[in-house]
C-alpha cells in the first residue's frame, strides 16, 4: 500500500520526478528512482540548465499534507477524505486519558492505523469513518478488561 509511485509534474526537471508512499504516512520524493533529501523543509529538484526548483509540504495532519512547487499545488495527500473522516481518525487518541502506558501505546498504534484507513480510497466512506470509532471502543474495552483483571 505504501510502495506506490505517483508521477509529479515538475516542468524542466532533469529526470522523472515521482512520489513514493502517497497512501502511507511517510513518503519520499524520487528523481529517476533516487530519493531526494529534505533540507529546511524543502526538496530541491534539479532542472535543466543547472537551475533547481523547490517542492514544499504544507499541512499539519500526518499523511494529509499538500505538496507545492512554488505556489502551484502538485499533490494533495488523502484528497478524497472528508473533514469528518479526518476528525474521526483522532478518536483513538482518547485512549491516552486512561493514563496508563498500555493506553498510550494503544492510542498511538490505533491512531496510525486510522490514518491508513482514512487515506485508503478503496474503503467505502462510511466504513472509513466508522473504523476509527469502532477501534477506539474496542481499545477502551480492552483497557477496562485489563484493569479489571489487574484489580481482581
Amino acid at each position: 500500500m505504501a510502495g506506490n509511485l505517483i508521477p509529479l509534474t515538475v516542468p524542466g526537471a532533469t529526470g522523472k520526478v515521482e512520489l513514493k508512499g502517497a497512501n502511507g504516512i511517510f513518503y519520499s520524493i524520487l528523481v529517476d528512482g533516487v530519493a531526494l533529501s529534505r533540507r529546511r523543509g524543502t526538496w530541491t529538484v534539479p532542472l535543466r540548465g543547472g537551475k533547481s526548483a523547490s517542492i514544499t509540504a504544507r499541512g499539519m495532519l500526518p499523511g494529509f499534507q499538500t505538496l507545492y512547487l512554488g505556489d502551484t499545488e502538485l499533490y494533495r495527500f488523502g484528497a478524497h477524505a472528508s473533514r469528518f473522516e479526518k476528525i474521526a481518525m483522532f478518536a483513538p487518541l482518547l485512549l491516552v486519558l486512561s493514563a496508563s502506558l498500555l493506553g498510550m501505546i494503544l492510542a498511538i498504534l490505533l491512531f496510525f492505523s486510522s490514518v491508513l484507513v482514512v487515506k485508503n480510497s478503496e474503503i467505502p466512506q462510511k466504513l472509513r469513518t466508522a473504523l476509527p470509532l469502532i477501534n477506539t471502543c474496542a481499545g477502551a474495552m480492552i483497557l477496562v478488561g485489563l484493569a479489571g483483571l489487574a484489580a481482581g
Side-chain angles (χ1 to χ4, degrees):
M1 183 166 121
N4 56 342
L5 290 175
I6 295 174
L8 297 176
T9 305
V10 179
T14 58
K16 185 177 180 183
V17 182
E18 297 172 312
L19 174 64
K20 180 181 179 185
N23 289 333
I25 297 170
F26 304 106
Y27 58 91
S28 58
I29 296 177
L30 310 173
V31 174
D32 288 335
V34 178
L36 296 177
S37 59
R38 188 173 184 178
R39 297 178 196 265
R40 296 184 182 174
T42 64
W43 293 270
T44 303
V45 178
L47 302 177
R48 288 182 216 111
K51 297 182 181 179
S52 63
S54 294
I55 296 176
T56 58
R58 298 181 197 160
M60 293 190 57
L61 290 178
F64 289 93
Q65 296 87 3
T66 304
L67 295 178
Y68 287 92
L69 179 66
D71 290 331
T72 306
E73 183 178 308
L74 286 178
Y75 188 79
R76 183 179 299 263
F77 294 93
H80 64 278
S82 69
R83 180 171 289 169
F84 190 70
E85 291 172 78
K86 292 176 187 177
I87 291 170
M89 82 179 177
F90 281 95
L93 294 181
L94 291 173
L95 297 176
V96 170
L97 299 175
S98 71
S100 69
L101 179 62
L102 182 61
M104 291 179 198
I105 292 170
L106 191 58
I108 298 286
L109 291 174
L110 288 176
F111 170 72
F112 283 119
S113 69
S114 294
V115 171
L116 295 175
V117 165
V118 170
K119 286 187 71 171
N120 190 342
S121 61
E122 295 177 10
I123 297 175
Q125 183 180 7
K126 290 181 181 179
L127 191 56
R128 286 194 313 254
T129 304
L131 274 175
L133 301 174
I134 292 168
N135 287 341
T136 302
C137 291
M141 290 191 313
I142 288 169
L143 291 175
V144 167
L146 289 176
L149 286 176

